[in-house]
């Protein structure tokens, strides 16, 4: 057991609600710790629905390829909590994490605070004490009242793609959701905005940026033969495809490149190329080539993992599925998926379903808020995947799917980052 685990367990009990959007508790604890949020290196603050983690992964890879020290805060984790806090290129070690959490626990004095709030403060405290060149900060939920939105003067803010998610907290419309995400904009701080497919989201972000006085950075990406071109007022560069799979990652890389324009560090074109090629971000169209789950599949089969769980993720996966079908029409696509009850399985599956031959559904292990495998299977059938059935677990689902097709197939495990974390843990 990790030294930090007992402290993490205690902190989960300090607030009766899992999520309660407010900054009052965070400001109180930061004041008790002498405001570490005011002693940070230049900050890139990123909000959005889809692509936040990939954007930060691209940024970290390019900055580190230039020899810079980078702190990173992301959520949720896949396997271990320590994944959320990266200090100058290395995941936080167990001793330091436990010490920081205990310090925050003591400073909080037993007051009500959510788990995400107190662990965010612990990350900021760590970042303030360890020298680095840049801090990459990802919102957990929303933006305006997210616990990370306590940095008064980041170097740059960025908004990735806006989609329907967390409606119970952010609102039922894309305008409302975009408005909450836009809460990270700051007067005079450059804003980088993903080219939003939804006009209402794009309009809301533009209006909010103008209203607060955040200058919007102009940039573009254009697909080329075997790569893409990035253009802004400060950089024009032709690049090969990034190291993360999927055409959508070109635009996420563009967001990261646009952010570089506003950092007080030098990242030359060679470092950009090295970073984009070396980027690593698990559970985002990740190919699993070894481990018990991958080894259990017949020769010639492929196993992929993706944590996407909303309508936009379904659209992105559908684009990739269409590409697979065009490249190898003889190879069927099979799904294993599970989802949280707060998500909308039909919105996620709708775009993807036409490319799927069969699906097996699972409940997410250890998650009380998971949809049952039976409910998820029913949603799958309602989307047109007739061969859909519940399975006890991922291994059983894979075993069942092996008998559904005659030749090599491609299996995609998807629907939840929590399920993806379980798969990575099980697959070793």
């Amino acid at each position: 057991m990790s030294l930090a685990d007992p402290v993490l367990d205690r902190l989960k009990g300090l607030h009766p609600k899992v999520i309660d959007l407010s900054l009052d508790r965070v400001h109180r604890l930061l004041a008790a710790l002498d405001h570490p949020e005011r002693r940070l290196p230049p900050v890139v603050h990123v909000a959005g629905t889809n692509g936040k983690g990939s954007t930060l992964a691209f940024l970290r890879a390019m900055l580190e390829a230039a020899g810079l020290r980078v702190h990173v805060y992301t959520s949720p984790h896949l396997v271990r909590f320590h994944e959320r806090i990266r200090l100058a290129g290395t995941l936080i070690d167990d001793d330091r994490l436990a010490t920081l959490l205990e310090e925050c626990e003591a400073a909080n004095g037993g007051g009500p605070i959510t788990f995400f709030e107190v662990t965010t403060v612990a990350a900021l405290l760590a970042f303030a004490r360890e020298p680095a060149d840049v801090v990459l900060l990802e919102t957990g939920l929303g933006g305006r009242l997210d616990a990370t939105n306590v940095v008064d003067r980041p170097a740059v803010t960025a908004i990735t793609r806006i989609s329907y998610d967390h409606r119970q907290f952010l609102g039922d419309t894309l305008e409302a959701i975009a408005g909450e995400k836009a809460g990270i904009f700051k007067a005079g701080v450059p804003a980088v905005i993903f080219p939003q497919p939804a006009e209402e989201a794009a309009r809301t972000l533009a209006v909010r940026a103008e209203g607060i006085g955040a200058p919007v950075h102009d940039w573009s990406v254009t697909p080329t033969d075997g790569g893409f071109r990035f253009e802004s007022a400060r950089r024009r560069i032709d690049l090969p495809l990034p190291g993360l799979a999927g055409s959508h990652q070109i635009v996420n890389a563009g967001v990261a490149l646009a952010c570089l324009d506003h950092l007080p560090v030098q990242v030359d074109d060679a470092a950009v190329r090295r970073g984009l090629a070396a980027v690593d971000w698990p559970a985002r169209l990740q190919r699993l080539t070894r481990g018990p789950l991958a080894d259990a599949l017949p020769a010639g089969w492929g196993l992929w993992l993706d944590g996407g769980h909303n309508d936009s993720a379904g659209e992105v996966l559908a684009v990739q599925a269409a590409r697979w079908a065009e490249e190898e029409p003889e190879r069927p696509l099979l799904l294993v998926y599970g989802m949280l009850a707060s998500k909308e399985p039909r919105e996620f599956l709708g775009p993807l379903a036409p490319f799927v031959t069969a699906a097996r559904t699972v409940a997410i292990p250890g998650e009380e808020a998971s949809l049952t495998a039976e409910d998820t299977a029913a949603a799958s059938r309602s989307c047109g995947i007739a061969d859909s059935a519940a399975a006890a677990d991922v291994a059983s689902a894979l075993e069942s799917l092996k008998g559904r097709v005659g030749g090599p197939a491609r299996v995609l495990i998807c629907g939840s980052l929590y399920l993806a974390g379980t798969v990575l843990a099980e697959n070793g």
Side-chain angles (χ1 to χ4, degrees):
M1 183 175 70
S2 162
L3 291 173
D5 285 348
V7 195
L8 290 168
D9 288 340
R10 290 199 302 271
L11 293 175
K12 289 176 183 176
L14 287 179
H15 197 274
K17 297 179 181 179
V18 176
I19 297 173
D20 179 8
L21 296 180
S22 168
L23 291 179
D24 294 343
R25 296 179 296 270
V26 184
H27 283 304
R28 172 179 53 78
L29 181 53
L30 288 169
L33 292 165
D34 195 25
H35 292 288
E37 80 283 6
R38 299 176 183 174
R39 304 191 305 274
L40 300 177
V43 172
V44 181
H45 195 194
V46 180
T49 309
N50 295 83
K52 298 190 300 295
S54 296
T55 297
L56 290 186
F58 284 126
L59 267 168
R60 178 172 72 85
M62 292 186 290
L63 290 163
E64 290 181 347
L68 298 166
R69 293 167 59 89
V70 186
H71 295 331
V72 188
Y73 182 60
T74 59
S75 62
H77 60 275
L78 292 172
V79 180
R80 300 178 71 226
F81 179 88
H82 304 60
E83 299 166 30
R84 300 186 183 208
I85 303 174
R86 186 176 291 269
L87 291 176
T90 304
L91 294 183
I92 192 167
D93 65 58
D94 200 44
D95 287 345
R96 183 177 295 192
L97 177 60
T99 299
L100 284 164
L101 291 172
E102 287 173 345
E103 184 175 352
C104 290
E105 183 182 32
N108 186 61
I113 195 165
T114 70
F115 179 78
F116 183 74
E117 289 166 352
V118 70
T119 52
T120 296
V121 171
L124 297 174
L125 190 60
F127 296 160
R129 291 174 175 173
E130 180 79 15
D133 299 294
V134 178
V135 172
L136 305 180
L137 201 59
E138 178 190 3
T139 60
L141 188 156
R144 181 175 64 93
L145 295 175
D146 188 82
T148 61
N149 199 25
V150 292
V151 178
D152 292 334
R153 194 75 183 174
V156 58
T157 62
I159 304 289
T160 61
R161 180 169 175 170
I162 302 296
S163 305
Y164 289 106
D165 210 358
H166 302 297
R167 299 183 195 189
Q168 66 274 42
F169 302 106
L170 304 180
D172 290 326
T173 66
L174 289 178
E175 293 98 326
I177 295 169
E180 288 296 320
K181 307 287 185 182
I184 70 167
F185 292 153
K186 304 292 187 296
V189 175
V192 173
I193 301 176
F194 184 102
Q196 302 293 326
E199 181 181 348
E200 58 267 47
R203 182 175 58 251
T204 299
L205 294 173
V207 169
R208 294 298 177 91
E210 182 178 6
I212 201 169
V216 176
H217 182 58
D218 290 329
W219 59 278
S220 67
V221 290
T222 306
T224 60
D225 186 16
F228 70 103
R229 174 175 297 164
F230 173 83
E231 293 185 81
S232 72
R234 304 188 185 187
R235 193 189 302 259
R236 182 181 187 274
I237 182 172
D238 288 313
L239 295 161
L241 291 175
L244 297 182
S247 58
H248 61 292
Q249 294 293 5
I250 291 175
V251 191
N252 290 332
V255 175
L257 281 159
C259 288
L260 287 183
D261 284 351
H262 299 286
L263 289 176
V265 296
Q266 293 297 316
V267 181
D268 62 24
D269 289 354
V272 165
R273 290 189 172 92
R274 290 195 304 272
L276 291 182
V279 66
D280 178 52
W281 193 232
R284 279 75 176 177
L285 273 175
Q286 178 184 3
R287 178 78 183 269
L288 302 180
T289 58
R290 60 179 61 89
L293 296 177
D295 294 346
L297 291 176
W301 285 48
L303 183 62
W304 295 75
L305 178 67
D306 193 271
H309 50 261
N310 59 18
D311 57 328
S312 293
E315 292 170 8
V316 162
L317 291 175
V319 170
Q320 184 63 39
R323 180 166 297 171
W324 283 334
E326 182 179 353
E327 294 171 349
E328 297 181 285
E330 74 285 355
R331 185 188 291 265
L333 176 62
L334 311 174
L335 287 192
V336 176
Y337 80 101
M339 301 191 76
L340 294 178
S342 58
K343 308 305 177 184
E344 298 290 340
R346 291 170 184 82
E347 290 183 0
F348 171 73
L349 286 174
L352 188 56
F355 303 97
V356 177
T357 299
R360 295 295 177 266
T361 61
V362 296
I364 303 171
E367 290 293 331
E368 294 181 2
S370 173
L371 285 168
T372 68
E374 291 75 15
D375 285 345
T376 318
S380 183
R381 288 190 293 270
S382 74
C383 289
I385 308 174
D387 187 357
S388 298
D393 51 38
V394 171
S396 301
L398 293 175
E399 187 64 31
S400 173
L401 287 172
K402 287 193 303 189
R404 306 311 300 172
V405 294
R410 183 179 280 107
V411 181
L412 173 62
I413 304 174
C414 58
S416 169
L417 280 170
Y418 298 97
L419 177 62
T422 296
V423 168
L424 290 174
E426 290 179 359
N427 200 50

